[in-house]
Amino acid sequence: MSQVHIASRRDFLKRALTSTALLSGTCGSALLTAAEPGAAQAKSKVVIARDALLRGTGSTVDSRRMLSLLDRAMQALFDRDDPVENWRRVVRPGDSVGLKVNTLGGRGISSNLQLVEAICERLQEAGIRAKDIVVWDRDSGEMERAGFRVSVGGNGVQCFGTDGVDYEQDLALYGSVGSRLSKILTQRTNVLINVPVLKDHDGAGVTIALKNMYGVIHNPNKYHPNGCDPYVADLNMLPEIRTRMRLVICDATTAMYDGGPAYKPDHSWKENALIVSQDPVALDYMGWQMIERKRAQKGLKTLEGEERAPRYIATAADAEHRLGMNDPTRISRVEI
Amino acid sequence: MFRQSQVLEGESEEMHGARSQPGCGLDRRSFLKCAVASGAALGMGELAQPAVGSPSEVGQQKQDDARFIVEARFYEKQKNLRIKCKLCPRECVVGDRERGYCGVRENRGGTYYTLVHSRVCAAHVDPIEKKPLFHYLPGTVAFSLATAGCNVNCKFCQNWDISQTRPEQIPASYVPPQMVATLAKQNGCPTIAYTYSEPVIFSEYVMDAADAGHEAGIRSIVVSNGYIQEEALKAAYGKMDAVKIDLKSFSESYYRNVVSGQLKPVLESLVTLKKLGKWTEIVYLVVPTLNDSDAEFRGLAQWVKTNLGVDVPLHFTQFHPEYLLKNLPITPVSTLERAKAIADAEGLHYVYIGNVPGHPSQNTYCPKCRHMLVERVGFTASKVLIRKNGCPFCHQPIPGIWNA
């Protein structure tokens, strides 16, 4: 589970070509889409990139070091040195790219501003116009409380919540889920980059990539019973989400091992890391294990011991959903 | 301003044409006139439709409009800033910054708040027959209102666009309790009705508006799923003059799979209402293939007879495909008639068929001499013959609230 495996460029290309063959017919360019681990036999790669000096001597994340950390994570994920080239694996000019951040936790534990700026910088270098990038969450007020500056119109990067544009009137349906989707997702973007945080959740166990999609719908409160299972998995099956999801960049600069989802400083720690993957299930599995390790260090029970293990992760990987891998033997964990 | 012409009555309103032709809605001008007369500052103005995919026009309200936010009743504090909601049997344990299942109650730093006090998203002047309450002031109208939210998620919900939503996602107006009473009076309504979505989740507002109404000589009724804890029921519905409960099925599995709730607490609520002496009528929406067996109808009727008595009106109403149950057909009238025949055979005195305009089983008949006592056409009580709370022909007492 904890083995470090760095795939060679040849391995990667081989895998990519296999994926292309399997995915052709469903998308224009398989290399530009999220991995479909259920279809491909290859391992899912999850990169955990750390920088112990990310904050220098202070408490604020250093922008330059964050950009460097992001580049290293992307290099490890795509096995290429050129940072911009790596982003061209994810987007192409003409795309409208949404960065779905998580801002529920206020300034204490929301998607990191320097990280979002770094992503926007690289997206533009990869050919995406600034005005075609939307940094978004469910509520503009919440985003502002987390430190984001709402910005609408003009040629710059857009930044606002769904409260400004509303949700689709029609329901999107899959399994246990029937929800109205944010118009930012459906009408403003064709690419989704998921930028969650790494934290404990008192109901769901953990909230990382998959559960971050609760911020996309109008009725997340309906999907918290039973540890959010199978709701999280069903929600991520919606075509409007699944077909747009290209990449997850989890902000683990600050993480929480207990007491979430609201920010509890006493239960947070500075991991100074990014977790990056094209497989949200594998990323969630690895993130969950990181939280469990921290809980063990702190002498807390496991989430299973507290009867709140995130079962939805296994559901997302099951034969019905196939959203990704939760089998650690089929996850290539790369730590840098 | 308010949604005025698109709300349907719980799950039981007579549907044909109702969504597009409200008939007796409170128009915007009337509402504004009333509001101004009341000296109230509405503040909201008319909310524009949001531009497609663009935030240039605000499509939602601010989450933190302090006018609507009042500390909730019926909850207990737990460690780590969690709370346990004691309003409904779901007993949500809600972490800091999270909301309960209803979506309208939020934990902020360990204190639980309702976000919908005086936050009216739908208002309408409706015939009381539309609730339906057939043994309560027939031929009168009720000032009917709702906030966003619900504590269940019925797959057949007709008003899901207000019940299954968060308050900040739909336009609403600030209508404090005294204004509710004033508006009711100015619109000739002897009754305020809390309805359309699920009044359980705006219980604090229900209580305050009922008090204001009673001070002004206006009664209150509630149209509810009855999925509420006993203490909250006594506190909130104890202030009601009549209650209509949607008993959605007589099986736990249906409640679990179709309603996302439980049957047992609803039955307990009905028994509590009887003990409180509240005039109560029951609606049972008959959904083809899901809750329409003879055994279920019989079990229901026997339970009502045993626990509530034969005089409790029971309305079997017609289902129309909506929300998450669009794959099922409209309930055949013959099914409703079968349900009524079974309940009649079990000895219930007042079994009605609803959502079928013109059906003779919309009328009230004397259980003793079988004379028709109340004739109903659509939502209108066209003929009311009851005198001195009884049948004018054989003097059989007819239970209900017949006089304003």
Side-chain angles (χ1 to χ4, degrees):
Chain A
M1 185 168 71
S2 60
Q3 67 184 21
V4 177
H5 171 82
I6 299 178
S8 69
R9 181 164 177 268
R10 180 176 300 228
D11 288 340
F12 171 76
L13 286 172
K14 187 177 169 188
R15 214 166 48 237
L17 288 170
T18 306
S19 300
T20 305
L22 288 168
L23 294 173
S24 61
T26 58
C27 41
S29 169
L31 292 179
L32 284 168
T33 63
E36 291 274 358
Q41 294 303 306
K43 288 184 174 183
S44 288
K45 184 190 280 189
V46 178
V47 174
I48 303 172
R50 291 187 178 83
D51 179 359
L53 299 176
L54 190 63
R55 299 165 201 267
T57 56
S59 59
T60 305
V61 169
D62 181 272
S63 294
R64 285 184 306 105
R65 294 195 77 95
M66 175 57 86
L67 183 61
S68 171
L69 181 63
L70 176 65
D71 286 345
R72 287 196 291 121
M74 293 292 282
Q75 285 161 357
L77 185 67
F78 290 111
D79 298 313
R80 289 175 182 239
D81 291 334
D82 183 346
V84 175
E85 185 62 25
N86 286 322
W87 280 97
R88 290 190 180 127
R89 313 290 296 179
V90 181
V91 296
R92 57 187 166 191
D95 280 340
S96 296
V97 182
L99 306 186
K100 170 59 181 73
V101 295
N102 187 310
T103 56
L104 176 76
R107 285 184 183 267
I109 185 138
S110 292
S111 303
N112 180 270
L113 292 173
Q114 288 82 4
L115 170 61
V116 171
E117 286 170 357
I119 297 169
C120 290
E121 183 176 334
R122 287 295 184 241
L123 283 171
Q124 290 174 70
E125 288 171 356
I128 307 300
R129 295 184 301 184
K131 67 178 184 180
D132 290 334
I133 301 170
V134 186
V135 179
W136 66 284
D137 200 354
R138 63 183 183 181
D139 184 77
S140 295
E142 248 173 29
M143 294 179 74
E144 287 178 325
R145 284 192 289 279
F148 289 89
R149 187 168 58 82
V150 170
S151 175
V152 179
N155 289 321
V157 171
Q158 309 293 295
C159 181
F160 54 88
T162 298
D163 57 319
V165 297
D166 210 350
Y167 296 85
E168 293 287 352
Q169 191 57 42
D170 292 337
L171 291 166
L173 305 170
Y174 185 89
S176 61
V177 166
S179 295
R180 296 167 59 202
L181 295 167
S182 168
K183 287 181 180 173
I184 301 174
L185 177 80
T186 57
Q187 299 188 24
R188 288 294 298 264
T189 58
N190 69 308
V191 172
L192 172 61
I193 296 178
N194 189 350
V195 191
V197 292
L198 176 67
K199 60 180 179 177
D200 171 90
H201 189 286
D202 62 357
V206 299
T207 171
I208 315 174
L210 292 166
K211 192 174 175 300
N212 193 31
M213 292 301 101
Y214 272 34
V216 170
I217 55 175
H218 85 294
N219 57 348
N221 45 291
K222 296 299 181 191
Y223 305 138
H224 281 88
N226 196 42
C228 303
D229 185 36
Y231 307 105
V232 171
D234 286 351
L235 174 61
N236 280 271
M237 286 295 285
L238 293 176
E240 294 87 345
I241 294 174
R242 194 174 185 182
T243 60
R244 285 174 172 79
M245 184 89 79
R246 298 268 176 89
L247 182 66
V248 183
I249 302 176
C250 174
D251 167 23
T253 55
T254 300
M256 275 179 53
Y257 57 85
D258 196 30
Y263 180 52
K264 305 285 191 316
D266 292 347
H267 296 149
S268 69
W269 86 98
K270 307 293 186 197
E271 181 71 15
N272 294 321
L274 299 180
I275 313 171
V276 181
S277 182
Q278 290 190 292
D279 179 342
V281 182
L283 188 146
D284 272 14
Y285 180 83
M286 286 300 173
W288 169 26
Q289 301 313 309
M290 290 169 70
I291 287 173
E292 290 286 21
R293 281 193 289 275
K294 182 58 70 173
R295 290 179 64 83
Q297 284 176 20
K298 297 290 182 182
L300 296 174
K301 285 183 185 173
T302 63
L303 292 174
E304 185 71 58
E306 290 197 355
E307 297 182 344
R308 57 187 185 99
R311 296 185 305 277
Y312 66 80
I313 296 175
T315 303
D318 70 15
E320 181 194 336
H321 295 85
R322 295 178 183 272
L323 286 162
M325 305 284 192
N326 76 324
D327 176 354
T329 66
R330 299 182 69 184
I331 299 173
S332 171
R333 176 174 136 178
V334 180
E335 294 199 62
I336 57 173
Chain B
M1 195 48 60
F2 289 149
R3 283 168 43 101
Q4 290 170 14
S5 58
Q6 296 179 13
V7 284
L8 302 176
E9 195 61 62
E11 61 187 35
S12 58
E13 184 254 356
E14 303 206 11
M15 295 184 64
H16 303 288
R19 192 174 280 271
S20 57
Q21 296 174 356
C24 51
L26 182 67
D27 65 32
R28 181 170 178 265
R29 179 171 297 194
S30 302
F31 175 77
L32 284 174
K33 191 176 166 189
C34 295
V36 170
S38 305
L42 290 174
M44 291 294 182
E46 188 157 18
L47 292 164
Q49 288 296 309
V52 174
S54 162
S56 57
E57 293 185 64
V58 174
Q60 299 191 353
Q61 298 181 43
K62 287 294 169 196
Q63 222 168 285
D64 286 329
D65 194 325
R67 291 176 301 174
F68 306 126
I69 301 173
V70 172
E71 183 174 357
R73 293 182 60 177
F74 317 116
Y75 78 99
E76 60 188 33
K77 298 191 177 192
Q78 298 190 326
K79 64 178 184 178
N80 290 333
L81 301 181
R82 293 192 186 98
I83 65 91
K84 179 188 270 190
C85 185
K86 304 291 284 184
L87 177 59
C88 92
R90 195 176 292 280
E91 294 201 332
C92 293
V93 174
V94 183
D96 185 21
R97 302 299 301 177
E98 293 269 277
R99 293 189 191 178
Y101 185 88
C102 60
V104 304
R105 305 168 91 80
E106 184 168 290
N107 179 348
R108 296 184 174 185
T111 301
Y112 208 35
Y113 292 93
T114 168
L115 310 179
V116 291
H117 195 287
S118 306
R119 193 172 197 159
V120 174
C121 68
H124 214 71
V125 175
D126 285 338
I128 201 71
E129 285 75 15
K130 189 179 172 187
K131 303 303 140 192
L133 281 172
F134 279 8
H135 290 228
Y136 174 88
L137 304 184
T140 65
V141 289
F143 184 72
S144 307
L145 57 84
T147 76
C150 184
N151 61 340
V152 295
N153 187 11
C154 301
K155 290 182 177 175
F156 47 75
C157 185
Q158 296 174 5
N159 293 327
W160 67 270
D161 50 349
I162 61 171
S163 68
Q164 304 302 321
T165 194
R166 292 181 162 216
E168 67 273 16
Q169 292 168 353
I170 50 174
S173 290
Y174 178 59
V175 190
Q178 285 73 18
M179 192 194 296
V180 174
T182 301
L183 287 168
K185 204 158 201 172
Q186 289 177 345
N187 283 278
C189 302
T191 304
I192 302 162
Y194 313 94
T195 179
Y196 302 136
S197 54
E198 178 45 61
V200 166
I201 59 90
F202 58 93
S203 285
E204 294 85 356
Y205 184 39
V206 167
M207 288 187 277
D208 293 345
D211 285 344
H214 285 142
E215 284 175 18
I218 308 291
R219 301 183 199 212
S220 277
I221 64 109
V222 67
V223 175
S224 173
N225 61 25
Y227 195 50
I228 183 170
Q229 294 208 17
E230 184 175 352
E231 182 191 346
L233 181 142
K234 286 178 176 174
Y237 295 180
K239 294 177 183 290
M240 298 295 105
D241 295 281
V243 179
K244 192 213 85 176
I245 295 293
D246 288 311
L247 181 58
K248 296 162 193 289
S249 158
F250 201 61
S251 90
E252 284 290 0
S253 64
Y254 181 95
Y255 261 87
R256 185 171 56 250
N257 299 325
V258 181
V259 176
S260 298
Q262 300 167 269
L263 169 63
K264 187 166 174 282
V266 179
L267 297 180
E268 290 169 352
S269 290
L270 285 164
V271 172
T272 303
L273 287 166
K274 179 178 170 59
K275 288 177 183 169
L276 291 174
K278 295 295 169 189
W279 179 253
T280 302
E281 302 189 23
I282 299 171
V283 164
Y284 185 102
L285 183 78
V286 181
V287 182
T289 73
L290 297 183
N291 67 354
D292 61 350
S293 71
D294 286 2
E296 198 165 351
F297 292 146
R298 190 168 294 110
L300 165 69
Q302 289 172 348
W303 184 90
V304 170
K305 182 179 179 181
T306 303
N307 293 278
L308 307 177
V310 294
D311 285 337
V312 173
L314 176 59
H315 305 248
F316 288 108
T317 60
Q318 187 175 50
F319 159 84
H320 288 243
E322 186 61 78
Y323 188 36
L324 301 174
L325 275 187
K326 289 183 175 173
N327 57 322
L328 294 176
I330 292 171
T331 318
V333 174
S334 59
T335 303
L336 300 169
E337 291 171 336
R338 174 165 55 84
K340 174 175 166 51
I342 290 170
D344 283 342
E346 291 298 328
L348 300 190
H349 285 169
Y350 305 100
V351 183
Y352 297 99
I353 287 178
N355 285 353
V356 184
H359 197 285
S361 293
Q362 288 187 120
N363 303 324
T364 299
Y365 300 89
C366 174
K368 186 176 175 188
C369 71
R370 302 309 301 166
H371 268 94
M372 185 174 70
L373 301 179
V374 182
E375 181 183 60
R376 297 180 181 86
V377 178
F379 297 140
T380 307
S382 54
K383 201 181 288 181
V384 182
L385 302 179
I386 291 169
R387 295 290 179 271
K388 296 180 181 175
N389 299 324
C391 173
F393 304 103
C394 70
H395 307 296
Q396 166 79 10
I398 307 297
I401 297 170
W402 304 108
N403 301 305

